[in-house]
Amino acid sequence: MASGTGYLGVTPPISTSESSPREKEVTATLMEELRKQGIFESEEESKRREIVLGRLAALVKKFVRRVSLARGLSESAANAAGGKIYTFGSYRLGVHGPGTDIDTLCVVPRHVTREDFFTVLEEMLREMEGVTVVSGVPEAYVPIITTEISGIPIDLLFAQLSLPSIPEDLDLQDDNLLKNLDDKSVRSLNGSRVINEILRLVPNVDVFRDALRCIKLWAQRRAIYSNVNGFLGGVAWAMLVARVCQLYPNAVAGAVVSRFFVIMDKWAWPQPVLLKPIEDGPLQVRVWNPKLYPQDRAHRMPIITPAYPSMCATHNVMESTHQIMKEEFQRGCNIVDQVMKGEAEWSALFVKHDFFHRYRFYLQIIASSSNLDIQNKWSGTVESKVRQLVMRLEFVDALKLAHPFIKGFDAVYYCLSEEESRAVSRGEIPDEVAKRKQEDVAGKEGVITMHTTSYFIGLSIKPKEANATGPRKLDISYPTAEFYKMVKMWDKYDESSMHIVVRHIKHTALPDYVFEPGERDAAARGKKRTRSSKDSPAPASKRSRTESQSRPNSVASSSRPMVSPPQVLHANSTDSRTGSTALNDLPHTQASDSLTIAASA
């Protein structure tokens, strides 16, 4: 319990009562539904994770030893320098599922630098048996190497401590470890320190884990689980659930989930969510303080980490994403209320999002390269800037909100000429290239493999004013031009090998691979759709970062390596591409209106 209060948290519990028989009953049905949803990993995968973590721990020690010797340390000093990994995130919380990544922190002594991490260790990972992906993003707010070892995805962070060596029994909760560290190391350490504090501050860890599994699955299905794109990441969702557990310390998981939606639906943002009082310390590190820092006052949904130094885990939340999450809280509240009354099943809570059916117009951002390693870094850099584009779109007068999707979609194309590869880099996918499979080019010379990653932003247009006449203009020239500048300012940007396309498309031009098989036809309410000559079949090899299943459908073509030129789109007209008036079936369709989208050249 919190010192001197007799309870966990910053306020007394709302209720310490035991859960009712009905709450216990719905908890049992909730756990049954979670098992049906397949969110628990197999024993085989669990053992494979342990083996991979053991191999990674050994590699980190080898890395530290190698750098130590290169710095002139003796053999014995290099062997004693240590190097250790710590897990955090969903794996440390005990709520990870099949195929999820393991958040891991690499802790090294003072003579091993971040540059070593992104050069020496990154190269050692590439040489490691069973490694299929290695991509470092040193410029990220929290610098990271993403890798995959024996099929297990790993997100690897870095922290350099002011210690000559890293002992095996090092406790990261010691605040003194933060002395003389740069901000990036403090942020990296905070991940592990925060998870340990969360687990310490919940009254019942098992109840917390079961409730968090539910909320995590719900947030993923509703496409609001992504810190980088302006929603909430895993730590923020965990802190929200932990706070509800504190307020109902004796409740079962089903009751915690029910209270979660009620409380979040009514929460008076920007009132912060805290698991314990914010602590000051003797170190010269920045602590979240809206009274002192104007940028902290600007946070829309402040959820504050419990480990010193306290930080806002939700600084990326924007006006648009905040509005979307509030709508989802309300939807969840209504569904769970029906579940508690016996009028709905838990499965209703986990119905897939409607992002790709929701808007009339979308922006598609396509990053591409002919080199997979370059593409991994390039697409990660582009993804990290999508939020900046959304923030600028929010200032466009005609837009109600700009809704970023939480993941990118990867595709691979096999080109037989420079001309074909250039077309792909411009977003123009020739029909023969889209159909071509890897086996079709086996043994042929001069094959160029093009890798693309597409990100999507839904554009919600404000209704036309009652007295307005004539077509309206949606001018996104400035936001898109600024976005191009931002991504090309990356110090490793190479115009010859890295390509970027931003284009606006109607919902009918969305590529088929963003939909589940049969989903598009069902959404069209049985109306027959015909494909025009501008449509392209699916690439031979593609993968959504949110779905492991490949979908053999179509990729929409693009005309220029930039946002499409201005064009007039009619909201109430028959779509020339589909021969139907499907636009009028969508939630965001307005009355008769012509809209011109002006884009940067």
Side-chain angles (χ1 to χ4, degrees), residues 220 256 298 442 523:
Q220 290 170 337
V256 169

Side-chain angles (χ1 to χ4, degrees), residues 90-91 95-97 100 211-221 225 234 237:
S90 62
Y91 185 80
V95 296
H96 60 287
T100 56
L212 180 56
R213 282 187 182 275
C214 172
I215 298 305
K216 183 177 178 180
L217 177 62
W218 161 78
Q220 290 170 337
R221 291 287 170 81
Y225 190 99
W237 289 117

Side-chain angles (χ1 to χ4, degrees), residues 398-418:
L399 279 181
K400 185 189 301 181
L401 60 79
H403 183 170
F405 191 61
I406 60 173
K407 297 289 182 180
F409 295 83
D410 292 338
V412 180
Y413 300 94
Y414 302 99
C415 305
L416 298 180
S417 66
E418 289 285 349

Side-chain angles (χ1 to χ4, degrees), residues 449-515:
T449 303
M450 291 296 296
H451 304 270
T452 71
T453 306
S454 291
Y455 304 97
F456 294 88
I457 300 173
L459 303 178
S460 180
I461 314 299
K462 290 179 181 178
K464 191 174 184 179
E465 295 180 5
N467 298 326
T469 59
R472 292 186 296 156
K473 183 178 181 180
L474 176 62
D475 189 349
I476 57 174
S477 302
Y478 175 75
T480 53
E482 288 296 299
F483 177 72
Y484 280 120
K485 290 179 185 177
M486 278 188 292
V487 295
K488 293 181 179 182
M489 284 174 62
W490 184 36
D491 60 359
K492 294 184 179 179
Y493 173 70
D494 178 6
E495 187 175 6
S496 65
S497 62
M498 302 173 187
H499 314 287
I500 181 74
V501 176
V502 183
R503 68 191 192 116
H504 61 80
I505 54 177
K506 299 172 73 173
H507 84 286
T508 49
L510 284 168
D512 283 349
Y513 61 71
V514 304
F515 301 100

Side-chain angles (χ1 to χ4, degrees), residues 151-166:
I152 303 296
I154 304 282
D155 283 352
L156 189 59
L157 307 187
F158 172 86
Q160 176 193 41
L161 303 185
S162 296
L163 299 174
S165 63
I166 304 299

